[in-house]
Amino acid sequence: MRPPAATGRILLVDDDRAFRVSTAALLRQDGYEVHPVADGEEAVAALRQQRFDLMLLDLRLPGMNGLRIVEALRLWGEGVPILMISGFGTVETAVEALHLGADDFLGKPVEPEILSARVADLLARRPGVESIPESSFCGMVGRSAGMLEVFDAVRRVAATDATVLVTGETGTGKELVARAIHDSSARRRGPFQAVNCASLAEGLLETELFGHVRGSFTGAVGDKQGLFEAAHGGTLFLDEIGDISLNLQQRLLRVLQEREVRRVGSVRATPVDVRVVAATRRDLRREVAEERFREDLFYRLNVFPITLPPLRERAADIPLLVEAAMAGARRTRPRLACSPLAMRTLRAHSWPGNVRELMAALESAAIRADGDRIEAQHLPLEVRAPLEHDAAGGDRYRVHDAHGDERSTILAALEEAGGSRARAAEILGMGRTTLWRKMRLYDIASNGDH
Ligand SMILES: Nc1ncnc2c1ncn2[C@@H]1O[C@H](COP(=O)(O)OP(=O)(O)OP(=O)(O)O)[C@@H](O)[C@H]1O
Ligand SMILES: [Mg+2]
C-alpha cells in the first residue's frame, strides 16, 4: 500500500532545466503541487501571486542571486520556508544562506530520497502543524525570543561542519551550547574534547592541543597525542579562546587552515577531521582592535557566531530556569515552589552571573526555606537588594561595546513582540528594514516572523 499522498505547494526555482524537470517530477510523485520557475524575477512574481508552503531555491541564478532572494524575502517578513540548493555549495555560502534565513541547505547532486526527506521535514514544521515553540533543547531551557534564536542557530549549524564562535557573558550557557552543537550533529557518536585555554600555561596548552613527541623537551618522556587528534571525527571545544597567547594563536590558525596537526618536536603532519567550537566572554573584535587577538584567526573562528543574551534580557526564561533549578530539591520535597513575591524579585534582579548565579541562588534558597515555599527572604542578599548591588558593582557587567544599549533594546522589543520583527519594529518606532539592518549589525539571528 502506498503511504498517503503528502500535501503542500512548492515553488521550485532553478535555471537548470533538467534539474527542474526531474525534481518537479519527483516531488509530484510524492504528492506535492509544484510550480517550477527558471529565475529570480519569475520567483518573485510567483510569490506575489500565490502562497507557497516551501521554496526550493538554487543559490546561483541568472539575474538575481539566490542569496539575495532569501534576504529580500526575509526583509518583506515572508515566512515561507526555504531549502537552498547549489552545485557550488561551500561551507561559507551554506552558512551565509542559513544566516540570512534559509531553513536548510543541500549540495548538488541531490539524492532523491534525501530531497524527499528534507522537503517532508520542512513542511512538517509549517506553522499551524506545530505551533508551540519548544522550551528546551539539549539540556538548555528557555522560551524567550533570544533563546529560541539560539536553539535555532544551534540546530542549523549542527547540520554543517562550520566553525562556531560562542560569545556571551559569564554563566550564560556557552559550554551548554557547545555540547548541544556536538550532540545534535552527525558527529555525536564521535568524541567531544574540551579544554579551557585560560587554565593552562602556554607551553602546557600547546602540548595539550597539539601533542608532542618523545624528547621534544625536558620531561617529554613519551609520545603524547594532542586534543586535536583525540577529537578526530568529533568536536573540539576551545573554551576561553580569547585568553591564548599570540604565538599559540598562530599555531591554531595553521591547524584550522590546513586541517592537519604537527606534534611539538615532530615534522610529520597528521590530518584531522574536527569541528571546532570556540567560546569567550571577551569581546574578540575589541581584542583584535587592541592587537591582542589575531584578526585572521578571528575571521577563521567567527564563521558562524552565536551570541548568548544575558539573563537580564530574557526574563521570560526565569520561571523555566527556576523549575529546572528546583528539579533536584523536588525529589525529596515534591511540592517545593516559589512565592509570587520571590518570583518577582528574581525577575527584577540584574543577574551579573547570569544563569549560573540564578541556579546557585535557588539552590541556597531551597536549603534556607523550611517548608515548601521559597519566599523572597530566602534569596541571597544581593538578589533581594538589586539597587544597592547595581550601584556597587553592576557597571562591571554592562555590555562592553558602544552598541550595547541599542542591542539590548532591540532584543527586549523582540522578546516583547514574541519574536515578530514587524511588531518589534512598531514597538521601537523604526522601519522594518532599519530593524533588519540593525539586527544584522548586532549579530541578532532571525528566525523569521513568527
Ligand atoms: N539555558 C539554560 N538552561 C539550563 N541551564 C543552564 C542554561 N544556561 C546555563 N545553564 C547552567 O548554568 C551554568 C553555567 O553555564 P555554562 O557553564 O554553560 O556557562 P558559560 O557561559 O560557559 O560560563 P563561563 O563564561 O563562566 O564559563 C551551568 O550549570 C549550566 O548548566
Ligand atoms: Mg564556560
Side-chain angles (χ1 to χ4, degrees):
M1 210 174 81
R2 279 176 64 94
T7 61
R9 201 204 300 249
I10 300 176
L11 178 60
L12 169 61
V13 196
D14 201 306
D15 58 331
D16 174 353
R17 186 162 180 281
F19 181 81
R20 229 164 45 226
V21 170
S22 62
T23 307
L26 171 78
L27 293 170
R28 283 184 184 128
Q29 232 171 40
D30 285 349
Y32 304 108
E33 198 179 312
V34 186
H35 186 91
V37 299
D39 61 38
E41 264 168 52
E42 281 182 61
V44 171
L47 283 162
R48 291 230 164 92
Q49 277 163 15
Q50 25 180 324
R51 208 187 51 79
F52 290 93
D53 299 305
L54 179 67
M55 174 151 102
L56 255 63
L57 181 61
D58 189 10
L59 187 63
R60 298 262 174 108
L61 288 169
M64 200 196 273
N65 179 307
L67 282 178
R68 298 287 83 78
I69 299 183
V70 175
E71 192 172 30
L73 278 176
R74 292 311 182 226
L75 258 168
W76 306 337
E78 267 296 327
V80 59
I82 300 172
L83 172 55
M84 278 294 228
I85 295 182
S86 171
F88 308 86
T90 63
V91 171
E92 279 75 18
T93 42
V95 165
E96 190 182 352
L98 295 175
H99 225 77
L100 284 173
D103 297 84
D104 205 347
F105 186 92
L106 280 179
K108 280 183 191 172
V110 178
E111 296 290 332
E113 301 81 58
I114 293 185
L115 182 68
S116 283
R118 298 282 185 93
V119 165
D121 254 22
L122 286 167
L123 285 170
R125 281 198 236 152
R126 240 182 310 193
V129 176
E130 188 188 35
S131 55
I132 306 162
E134 310 165 72
S135 55
S136 79
F137 178 68
C138 286
M140 295 180 283
V141 305
R143 62 165 176 233
S144 59
M147 282 312 283
L148 293 181
E149 273 172 23
V150 169
F151 296 167
D152 193 51
V154 167
R155 215 175 277 122
R156 284 162 191 266
V157 81
T160 74
D161 278 335
T163 303
V164 184
L165 180 64
V166 191
T167 53
E169 291 176 17
T170 182
T172 45
K174 296 185 290 296
E175 183 157 356
L176 277 187
V177 164
R179 286 183 186 278
I181 291 169
H182 176 75
D183 290 343
S184 49
S185 76
R187 297 173 173 270
R188 66 181 157 271
R189 283 189 196 86
F192 177 88
Q193 296 285 350
V195 62
N196 184 332
C197 302
S199 71
L200 296 174
E202 179 177 346
L204 272 179
L205 182 59
E206 181 173 23
T207 56
E208 191 69 20
L209 288 173
F210 310 115
H212 63 68
V213 292
R214 185 173 166 203
S216 54
F217 54 88
T218 329
V221 283
D223 285 5
K224 180 183 149 75
Q225 185 190 47
L227 288 172
F228 268 98
E229 286 175 70
H232 186 70
T235 307
L236 177 58
F237 176 43
L238 301 174
D239 203 358
E240 307 295 2
I241 191 78
D243 291 46
I244 66 173
S245 69
L246 284 164
N247 172 36
L248 278 188
Q249 289 174 27
Q250 187 181 5
R251 281 272 268 155
L252 187 59
L253 179 69
R254 289 242 330 248
V255 176
L256 293 179
Q257 265 164 357
E258 287 156 24
R259 298 275 153 196
E260 52 183 36
V261 281
R262 232 173 290 262
R263 294 184 182 183
V264 174
S266 169
V267 288
R268 230 195 39 224
T270 314
V272 284
D273 165 29
V274 171
R275 138 129 63 203
V276 169
V277 180
T280 178
R281 63 199 140 66
R282 291 180 195 271
D283 177 352
L284 275 195
R285 280 178 203 278
R286 186 207 232 168
E287 298 294 303
V288 169
E290 291 172 9
E291 296 185 352
R292 281 190 298 267
F293 204 85
R294 291 179 66 110
E295 190 173 16
D296 43 11
L297 179 59
F298 170 71
Y299 287 114
R300 266 282 149 192
L301 294 172
N302 200 43
V303 177
F304 193 90
I306 296 182
T307 303
L308 280 160
L311 187 56
R312 63 184 167 281
E313 285 170 17
R314 43 176 161 125
D317 292 344
I318 289 182
L320 290 176
L321 289 164
V322 168
E323 283 301 305
M326 291 196 309
R330 286 250 177 85
R331 259 178 253 134
T332 48
R333 296 150 80 188
R335 279 144 44 90
L336 187 69
C338 261
S339 76
L341 179 60
M343 191 60 91
R344 268 212 302 283
T345 309
L346 291 173
R347 292 181 66 123
H349 183 48
S350 62
W351 300 112
N354 294 295
V355 182
R356 182 183 292 114
E357 184 189 3
L358 175 65
M359 295 296 182
L362 281 155
E363 200 177 313
S364 72
I367 295 168
R368 263 182 235 128
D370 292 323
D372 280 338
R373 241 160 102 98
I374 294 179
E375 302 287 352
Q377 83 235 28
H378 299 133
L379 295 168
L381 182 63
E382 65 276 15
V383 175
R384 270 183 285 155
L387 292 178
E388 284 161 51
H389 181 68
D390 269 8
D395 265 355
R396 269 188 296 154
Y397 302 103
R398 289 273 145 70
V399 181
H400 314 287
D401 58 31
H403 300 313
D405 285 346
E406 186 167 42
R407 188 175 194 280
S408 315
T409 313
I410 291 176
L411 282 169
L414 281 165
E415 178 162 357
E416 194 180 325
S420 157
R421 286 202 308 273
R423 281 258 306 123
E426 267 171 42
I427 295 171
L428 293 163
M430 57 173 76
R432 279 203 227 179
T433 318
T434 312
L435 175 60
W436 173 248
R437 233 187 303 108
K438 287 183 189 281
M439 285 171 68
R440 289 193 67 192
L441 177 69
Y442 300 142
D443 276 343
I444 301 176
S446 166
N447 51 357
D449 216 358
H450 39 248

